[in-house]
């Protein structure tokens, strides 16, 4: 079969992501490793032995960490996490992980549906047994936290999924029926992406009583299809898959694990011995219908992942049904292999179907059929000789006779049957090679989580050095939620990324701010050099396009091509290019060109400033970006400015490391202050000979002074003769109101939007000293601003960090290397983009990849910080629970946790006023945290409107005053609520009575 035709793809659905927790396997990778190694991960539990049957071996597929959960990540209080059914919490984490594994964990994912189910695990009874210890818990809240009705909607709410959210309950076939319903919703256009799966997670396992002849295995093994089979073994597990229409998945670069060709669901009706009995007719019909939908002939199916419970009745009927649906198999070249994952992990009830589905997907994807354990001799009640089926008793390669096609069976007590037909995915289209360094980003809700994410990425890339780094970068950028605490590296190979991730420095600040202002700073002349931005010109089409625009605009006035000066073709041409670039007539438009092109490149990446400013010449790039001048007009004006400055007497400028007030008395008559860049940073300007002499004198006195690479006396009286002609040049151009705030480097304050359009403004700017230190002081007045030195060089970033009002928490970002650095310009620019992202910017990552097609690839998922949230089990009844309770239809409970949390947290002794102390105690009991601060917010602690309702009822009853939910929501903090209660009449005496009760 091929996937070349669009009509062939219309009814096909891709499996693009999988996640799960299984006995002996915390993830899908370990699960597959265990299967291929033929490992059994069922645990023998001697402490659950039945004294009446000493030969009975109690066993269960135990799920490690079943009571653990990262409540804070999902915004739940410790109290809510404690009372919420662990299998619902686990499904929530699996859904999050599956979406990330699919590369659709970001907020811009397609419309996503949820189709899940969960087993009955007795947790509600455990919570109800301790309801008196949980004063803010009532029956409605308990039902909301534990009833299976809310499994799907809980996931939809916490992950913000807006497609259909359906909870499925069909006993053992639940999660495969969920897969079928998800496929139908996708094909019907009800959603564009779908989560499907299920869980049975039993946190407390009571002692069991064995019933001879029942459905539970006596020896602790599930021996599906074997002559010695005598029953099944229960298990806890959770699985989730992400599905998407195949055409969409291929077009979007998703990794396709396998393709669902078709599926079907039916019920046995009354064609069987009893309600719980299986039916050959019903099972055969659902398989036949699935083949018809899939458009496959049974002879094409090479493997069936069977329900395979190992029971005396179930296995023979299932094989009989398969034989009826497939035919005799006489025309097959090779037998159809048959297997059951229950021999590895046990029967996971509501999660059994998706567990088998995941196994079959991996088998189709990798071309390996794992062994069905404990298979030695065929069950004599099964007619294998005429069935065309063979149990896969050893791990083997898939027979190489055409595309790999598999079936998955799930059969529910009560008669709801499901069958899915899978086929191997089409070969992926290779990504374009990475043509430059890549920006790799990770984040976390906490600094520790962000660091853990970076460490996990380093471990992954170290283990997979051939990872396509551009694909990995794209997956991290577009397929993950971007949390407040962020880390990044820039690298051009996996090894370099690993090294960078492992030596990353601490990140200052409290996390990204979504509304942080970005202020672009454009430096003046002095940082220009031959070859600057050559790497960007060669590698970034947007940069090249806009630099070409400026070069062509000024070619006439300059009488040369700026590109030949900036990027000489040969080494022999570099001396002449350097000589030209050193002149003010060519150097100024060259600096403007690279600044404007850099700003436009950033804009193409979705990075636009909230405000702009410039230093001397840089003010023209700032005004252009703000829309005062068009790019061509600004370029020609800068060229004219450079030409006019070139006509004034030879001048120079020198940087002096002294405050302005100390420099002024020292100045010769023909030298003036040209710029004040900070409290101890001045620039003097005047005739070249005088400036050189003055700098030499200062050096002789031990004062740092340095002549700058600027061949003019800008911002001095020497420019006055050209003022009129420059004003005429400005007047000749159209000028618009700025679309962004412009910070004046002449006054250090925000420019008036009308005044900046006048020629007088630009003449004053030409003549008067630059007050950049005052401009920086204005910027530092808002500590959340992100200051971005556009370059060339990093002069303004250095001035910003040297300013007296600079705080190390203030974000100062440079986008270009120092001229003396042997550093990649692209790496520096991408590092700057990474810094902006860390501070809350939202780059257009598709544009960052030049809209080249990229594929989503495997990279680590979020590092949950799990804590135990588990109500202790209720006391065991005098008569032991029968072993049949461990069977899938009536799930058993898992191994008890040793570090179980107390049901009601105890708050430390307090020295707060009585009313506040009572409120803090109420918050502690309602939210489950023992150390709540008076200024902690209700929502920040995981509370919600129901919590507020409970607190209002408590306050009204305790203090005999009127308090409603709105009062709690407005108050938010214990401190504010206590003040409100006191205002309404709550007294210390009543508070003490409340505490005593």
């Amino acid at each position: 079969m091929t996937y070349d035709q669009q009509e062939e793809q219309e009814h096909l659905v891709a499996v693009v992501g999988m996640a799960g927790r299984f006995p002996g396997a915390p993830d899908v990778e370990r699960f597959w490793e265990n299967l291929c190694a033929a490992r059994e991960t069922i645990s023998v539990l001697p402490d659950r032995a039945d004294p009446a049957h000493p030969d009975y071996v109690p066993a269960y597929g135990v799920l490690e960490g079943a009571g653990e959960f990262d409540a804070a990540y999902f915004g739940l209080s410790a109290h809510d996490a404690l009372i919420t059914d662990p299998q619902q919490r686990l499904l929530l984490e699996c859904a999050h992980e599956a979406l990330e594994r699919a590369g659709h964990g970001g907020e811009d994912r397609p419309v996503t549906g949820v189709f899940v189910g969960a087993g009955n695990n007795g947790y509600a009874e455990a919570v109800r047994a301790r309801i008196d210890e949980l004063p803010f818990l009532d029956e409605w809240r308990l039902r909301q936290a534990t009833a299976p009705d809310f499994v799907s909607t809980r996931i939809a709410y916490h992950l913000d999924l807006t497609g259909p959210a359906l909870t499925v309950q069909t006993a053992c076939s639940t999660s495969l029926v969920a897969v079928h319903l998800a496929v139908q919703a996708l094909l019907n256009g009800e959603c564009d992406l779908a989560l499907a799966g299920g869980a049975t997670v039993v946190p407390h396992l009571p002692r069991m009583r064995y019933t001879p002849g029942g459905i539970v295995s006596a020896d602790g093994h599930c021996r599906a299809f074997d002559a010695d089979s005598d029953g099944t073994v229960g298990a806890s597990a959770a699985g989730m898959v992400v599905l998407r229409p195949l055409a969409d998945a291929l077009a979007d670069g998703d990794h396709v694990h396998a393709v669902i060709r078709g599926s079907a669901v039916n019920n046995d009706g009354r064609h069987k011995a009893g309600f719980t009995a299986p039916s050959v007719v019903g099972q055969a019909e659902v398989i036949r219908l699935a083949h018809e939908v899939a458009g496959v002939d049974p002879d094409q199916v090479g493997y069936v992942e069977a329900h395979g419970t190992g029971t005396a009745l179930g296995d023979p009927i299932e094989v009989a049904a398969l034989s009826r649906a497939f035919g005799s198999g006489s025309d097959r070249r090779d037998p159809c292999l048959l297997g059951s994952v229950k021999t590895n992990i046990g029967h996971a009830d509501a999660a059994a179907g998706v567990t088998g589905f995941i196994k079959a997907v991996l088998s189709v994807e990798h071309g390996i059929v794992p062994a069905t354990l404990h298979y030695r001799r065929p069950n004599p009640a099964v007619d294998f000789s005429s069935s065309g089926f063979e149990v896969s008793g050893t791990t083997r390669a898939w027979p190489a006779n055409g595309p790999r096609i598999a079936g998955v069976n799930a059969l529910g007590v009560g008669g709801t049957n499901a069958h899915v037909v899978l086929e191997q995915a089409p070969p992926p289209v290779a990504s374009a090679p990475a043509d430059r360094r890549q920006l790799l980003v990770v984040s976390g809700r906490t600094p520790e989580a962000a660091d853990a994410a970076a460490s996990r990425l380093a471990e992954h890339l170290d283990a997979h050095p051939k990872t396509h780094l551009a694909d990995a970068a794209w997956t991290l950028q577009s397929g993950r939620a971007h949390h407040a605490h962020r880390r990044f590296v820039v690298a051009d190979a996996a090894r370099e990324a690993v090294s960078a991730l492992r030596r990353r420095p601490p990140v200052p600040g409290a996390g990204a701010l979504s509304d942080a202002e970005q202020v672009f700073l454009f430096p003046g002349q002095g940082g220009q050099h031959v070859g600057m931005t050559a790497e960007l010109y060669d590698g970034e089409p947007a940069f090249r396009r806009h630099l070409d625009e400026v070069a062509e605009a000024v070619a006439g006035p300059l009488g040369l091509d700026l590109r030949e000066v900036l990027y000489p073709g040969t080494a022999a041409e570099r001396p002449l290019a350097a000589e030209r670039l050193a002149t003010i007539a060519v150097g100024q438009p060259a600096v403007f060109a690279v600044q404007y092109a850099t700003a436009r490149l950033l804009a193409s990446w979705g990075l636009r400033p909230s405000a702009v400013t410039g230093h001397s010449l840089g003010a023209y790039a700032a005004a252009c970006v703000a829309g005062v001048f068009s790019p061509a007009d600004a370029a020609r004006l800068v060229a004219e400015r450079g030409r006019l400055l070139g006509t004034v007497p030879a001048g120079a400028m020198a940087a002096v490391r002294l405050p302005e007030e100390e420099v002024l008395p020292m100045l010769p008559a023909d030298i003036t202050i040209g710029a004040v860049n900070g409290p101890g940073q001045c620039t003097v300007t005047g005739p070249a000979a005088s400036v050189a002499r003055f700098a030499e004198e200062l050096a002789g006195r031990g004062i740092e002074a340095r002549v700058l690479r600027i061949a003019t006396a800008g911002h001095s009286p020497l420019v006055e003769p050209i003022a009129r002609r420059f004003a005429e040049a400005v007047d000749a151009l159209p000028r618009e109101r700025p679309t962004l705030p412009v910070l004046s480097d002449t006054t250090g304050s925000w420019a008036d939007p009308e005044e900046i359009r006048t020629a007088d403004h630009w003449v004053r700017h030409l003549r008067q000293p630059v007050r950049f230190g005052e401009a920086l002081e204005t910027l530092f007045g808002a500590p959340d601003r992100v200051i971005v030195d556009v370059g060339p060089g990093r002069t303004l970033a250095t001035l910003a960090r040297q300013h007296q009002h600079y705080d190390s928490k203030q974000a100062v970002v440079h986008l270009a290397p120092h001229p003396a650095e042997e550093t990649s310009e692209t790496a520096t620019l991408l590092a700057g983009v990474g810094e902006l992202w860390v501070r809350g910017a939202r780059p257009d990552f598709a544009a960052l990849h030049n809209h080249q097609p990229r594929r989503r690839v495997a990279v680590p998922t979020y590092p949950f910080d799990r804590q135990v949230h588990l109500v202790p089990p209720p006391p065991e009844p005098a008569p032991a629970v029968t072993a049949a309770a461990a069977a899938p239809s009536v799930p058993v409970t898992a191994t008890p946790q040793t570090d179980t949390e107390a049901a009601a947290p105890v708050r430390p002794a307090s020295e707060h006023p009585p009313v506040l102390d009572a409120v803090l105690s109420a918050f502690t009991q309602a939210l489950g945290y023992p150390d709540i601060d008076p200024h902690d917010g209700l929502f920040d602690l995981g509370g919600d409107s129901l919590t507020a309702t409970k607190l209002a009822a408590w306050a009204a009853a305790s203090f005999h005053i009127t308090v409603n939910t709105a009062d709690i929501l407005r108050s938010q903090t214990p401190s504010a609520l206590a003040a409100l209660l006191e205002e309404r009449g709550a007294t210390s005496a009543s508070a003490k009575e409340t505490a005593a009760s």
Side-chain angles (χ1 to χ4, degrees):
M1 298 183 184
T2 68
Y3 301 97
D4 297 335
Q5 302 300 319
Q6 183 67 35
E7 57 269 22
E8 171 68 14
Q9 297 180 6
E10 285 180 357
H11 72 286
L12 303 179
V13 171
V15 182
V16 297
M18 299 183 291
R21 300 268 298 281
F22 311 96
D27 52 42
V28 171
E29 286 77 17
R30 183 70 62 81
F31 175 61
W32 180 241
E33 179 185 317
N34 288 345
L35 295 181
C36 291
R39 294 192 185 105
E40 183 181 29
T41 53
I42 295 170
S43 300
V44 175
L45 307 172
D47 60 331
R48 299 295 187 267
D50 183 353
H53 296 277
D55 293 335
Y56 165 60
V57 179
Y60 190 77
V62 175
L63 189 64
E64 294 296 327
E68 297 175 355
F69 180 59
D70 190 343
Y73 181 85
F74 294 102
L76 269 70
S77 68
H79 177 275
D80 284 347
L82 182 69
I83 65 173
T84 300
D85 187 341
Q87 60 192 356
Q88 297 201 30
R89 302 183 328 214
L90 188 55
L91 275 174
L92 179 56
E93 287 191 350
C94 282
H96 183 282
E97 181 181 342
L99 287 170
E100 287 201 330
R101 283 172 171 266
H104 291 286
E107 61 183 21
D108 59 347
R109 69 173 69 89
V111 175
T112 304
V114 188
F115 304 84
V116 293
N120 176 26
N121 64 357
Y123 193 70
E125 287 71 26
V127 178
R128 188 174 286 109
R130 296 178 180 270
I131 198 166
D132 291 340
E133 301 172 37
L134 299 163
F136 285 89
L137 180 63
D138 58 21
E139 190 62 31
W140 160 242
R141 190 70 175 224
L142 171 60
R143 183 173 183 275
Q144 183 199 60
T146 58
D149 312 48
F150 306 107
V151 177
S152 60
T153 50
R154 190 181 308 282
I155 293 170
Y157 169 73
H158 284 289
L159 301 186
D160 191 24
L161 309 179
T162 58
L166 304 183
T167 296
V168 183
Q169 290 296 121
T170 62
C172 316
S173 61
T174 290
S175 49
L176 199 64
V177 172
V179 170
H180 168 78
L181 293 175
V183 169
Q184 297 306 307
L186 290 167
L187 297 180
N188 290 337
E190 298 169 37
C191 54
D192 303 310
L193 197 71
L195 283 161
T200 289
V201 179
V202 190
H204 304 305
L205 181 63
R207 189 178 303 278
M208 297 176 290
R209 178 176 294 169
Y210 175 63
T211 301
I215 65 171
V216 175
S217 170
D219 66 358
H221 300 293
C222 177
R223 304 175 183 274
F225 311 115
D226 189 73
D228 295 327
S229 64
D230 71 340
T232 196
V233 178
S236 285
M240 194 75 74
V241 295
V242 183
L243 310 179
R244 193 179 191 189
L246 178 62
D248 294 347
L250 295 177
D252 208 21
D254 292 338
H255 176 76
V256 179
H257 295 278
V259 176
I260 298 175
R261 292 201 62 90
S263 64
V265 168
N266 75 354
N267 191 273
D268 295 335
R270 297 196 59 169
H271 299 285
K272 54 186 181 179
F275 175 71
T276 61
S279 164
V280 172
V281 174
Q283 292 181 22
E285 178 59 21
V286 81
I287 297 165
R288 185 200 63 77
L289 183 57
H291 287 172
E292 182 180 321
V293 172
V296 301
D297 186 282
D299 290 348
Q300 295 174 288
V301 180
Y303 172 68
V304 171
E305 172 61 24
H307 195 58
T309 57
T311 58
L313 185 62
D315 286 1
I317 287 181
E318 183 175 13
V319 176
L322 284 164
S323 299
R324 178 179 291 194
F326 274 67
S328 67
S330 58
D331 296 332
R332 297 184 65 98
R333 192 178 76 179
D334 297 305
C336 180
L337 299 180
L338 194 65
S340 173
V341 72
K342 293 175 182 65
T343 63
N344 299 88
I345 70 165
H347 190 337
D349 191 27
V354 74
T355 301
F357 179 86
I358 290 172
K359 174 190 171 183
V361 166
L362 292 167
S363 184
V364 165
E365 181 175 20
H366 297 293
I368 296 173
V369 179
T372 293
L373 305 186
H374 313 303
Y375 183 76
R376 303 292 181 267
R377 296 176 295 117
N379 186 333
V382 178
D383 183 11
F384 281 113
S385 61
S386 62
S387 70
F389 289 95
E390 177 185 315
V391 177
S392 180
T394 59
T395 298
R396 64 177 80 178
W398 196 290
N401 56 343
R404 296 190 289 269
I405 300 176
V408 185
N409 235 13
L411 314 171
V413 172
T416 296
N417 310 303
H419 192 82
V420 177
V421 179
L422 292 167
E423 184 172 5
Q424 71 184 95
V429 177
S431 275
D435 53 2
R436 60 163 160 79
R437 287 171 169 80
Q438 299 299 319
L439 174 64
L440 304 171
V441 299
V442 295
S443 67
R445 288 282 179 93
T446 64
E448 295 77 15
D451 289 337
S455 296
R456 287 176 62 168
L457 180 59
E459 292 170 7
H460 175 82
L461 294 176
D462 195 22
H464 302 87
K466 294 184 179 179
T467 297
H468 192 297
L469 208 61
D471 286 348
W474 170 246
T475 304
L476 293 166
Q477 293 160 359
S478 67
R480 298 289 186 272
H482 295 173
H483 302 298
H485 299 277
R486 304 179 175 188
R487 310 288 184 262
F488 76 91
V489 296
V490 175
D492 65 356
R495 294 296 185 201
E496 182 183 354
V498 170
S499 298
L501 286 162
R502 287 176 173 166
R503 67 169 185 268
R504 63 191 185 281
V507 177
L513 296 170
S514 59
D515 57 350
E517 283 186 65
Q518 298 172 31
V519 183
F520 282 13
L521 277 57
F522 297 91
Q525 195 176 355
Q528 74 273 14
H529 56 281
V530 172
M532 65 177 177
T533 68
E535 193 176 331
L536 300 182
Y537 187 80
D538 289 341
E540 301 297 339
F543 182 92
R544 184 186 314 114
R545 182 168 61 254
H546 292 293
L547 191 131
D548 288 346
E549 178 185 3
V550 173
E552 289 161 10
V554 298
L558 292 181
L560 54 78
D561 189 332
L562 268 183
R563 291 163 291 196
E564 295 177 357
V565 176
L566 287 168
Y567 319 119
T570 65
E573 296 171 318
R574 292 182 71 87
L576 177 59
E579 183 181 330
R580 287 175 168 173
L581 197 58
T583 66
I584 197 163
V586 176
Q588 293 210 348
V591 169
F592 172 85
V594 299
Q595 289 176 338
Y596 171 70
T598 301
R600 295 302 299 163
L601 174 60
L602 293 171
S604 76
W605 291 346
L607 298 171
R608 296 176 176 83
S610 302
V612 291
T613 189
H615 185 292
S616 187
L617 170 66
Y620 293 86
C624 178
V625 169
V628 177
F629 301 109
S630 72
D633 287 344
R636 285 188 282 265
L637 182 61
V638 167
E640 178 63 7
R641 182 180 188 266
R643 187 190 69 79
L644 291 173
L645 286 171
T647 65
V648 302
M653 304 180 81
V656 180
R657 284 272 189 174
L658 284 177
E660 180 183 15
E661 57 271 20
E662 294 184 28
V663 174
L664 283 171
M666 303 179 185
L667 291 177
D670 58 349
I671 296 179
T672 59
I673 295 290
V676 181
N677 295 321
Q681 304 253 16
C682 288
T683 299
V684 297
T685 178
S690 298
V691 169
R693 187 164 51 251
F694 181 60
E696 188 176 345
E697 291 173 1
L698 292 178
R701 295 162 60 180
I703 299 170
E704 184 179 345
R706 176 173 57 88
V707 177
L708 302 177
R709 295 170 56 195
I710 302 175
T712 189
H715 307 284
S716 78
L718 291 179
V719 305
E720 290 175 358
I722 66 171
R724 180 180 59 81
R725 282 178 290 169
F726 185 65
E728 292 171 353
V730 175
D731 270 331
L733 300 176
R735 302 172 303 282
E736 305 295 335
R737 280 180 64 91
T739 57
L740 297 172
V742 179
L743 183 60
S744 170
D745 63 321
T746 302
T747 65
S749 59
W750 296 104
D752 179 88
E754 289 299 329
E755 194 270 340
I756 198 174
R757 301 170 64 190
T758 66
D760 285 347
H761 171 90
W762 295 101
V763 169
R764 287 195 301 274
H765 180 270
L766 181 72
R767 167 62 183 87
Q768 293 178 6
V770 173
R771 298 282 174 184
F772 199 72
E774 295 177 29
L776 287 173
E777 186 172 345
T778 298
L779 292 178
F780 288 137
D784 292 338
R785 285 193 180 113
V786 180
I787 294 173
V788 184
D789 183 347
V790 177
R794 56 179 65 175
T795 301
L796 299 190
T798 301
L799 290 177
R801 293 191 181 96
Q802 292 174 347
H803 196 276
Q804 63 178 349
H805 293 296
Y806 169 68
D807 185 312
S808 60
K809 295 180 181 178
Q810 184 94 40
V812 177
V813 178
H814 65 272
L815 303 180
H818 188 278
E821 283 184 293
E822 294 184 1
T823 302
S824 162
E825 292 172 326
T826 302
T828 304
L829 180 60
L830 288 176
V833 172
E835 290 285 355
L836 294 177
W837 173 78
V838 164
R839 300 293 177 163
R842 303 183 64 178
D844 180 342
F845 288 115
L848 199 64
H849 289 268
N850 291 321
H851 297 282
Q852 290 181 320
R854 291 280 170 229
R855 299 188 64 239
R856 292 178 172 86
V857 297
V859 286
T861 55
Y862 190 84
F864 290 121
D865 180 16
R866 298 183 175 100
Q867 307 295 324
V868 175
H869 301 279
L870 201 62
V871 168
E876 291 188 15
V881 177
T882 64
S889 56
V890 187
V892 295
T893 54
T895 304
Q897 300 288 330
T898 57
D899 50 355
T900 296
E901 290 194 1
V906 178
R907 200 170 62 83
S910 170
E911 298 180 357
H912 297 297
V915 174
L916 176 57
D917 193 47
V919 171
L920 285 167
S921 294
F923 267 64
T924 291
Q925 293 176 344
L927 296 167
Y929 296 113
D931 54 353
I932 293 175
D933 185 87
H935 301 291
D936 285 341
L938 176 66
F939 289 147
D940 294 334
L941 295 168
D944 56 19
S945 59
L946 284 177
T947 311
T949 300
K950 293 292 183 183
L951 286 169
W954 164 83
S958 299
F959 296 104
H960 309 292
I961 57 178
T962 300
V963 185
N964 58 37
T965 302
D967 294 326
I968 307 297
L969 295 176
R970 279 193 295 268
S971 299
Q972 279 290 311
T973 67
S975 176
L977 178 57
L980 175 68
L981 298 180
E982 290 175 341
E983 182 182 315
R984 294 188 180 177
T987 65
S988 297
S990 60
K992 291 175 181 176
E993 291 175 7
T994 298
S997 64

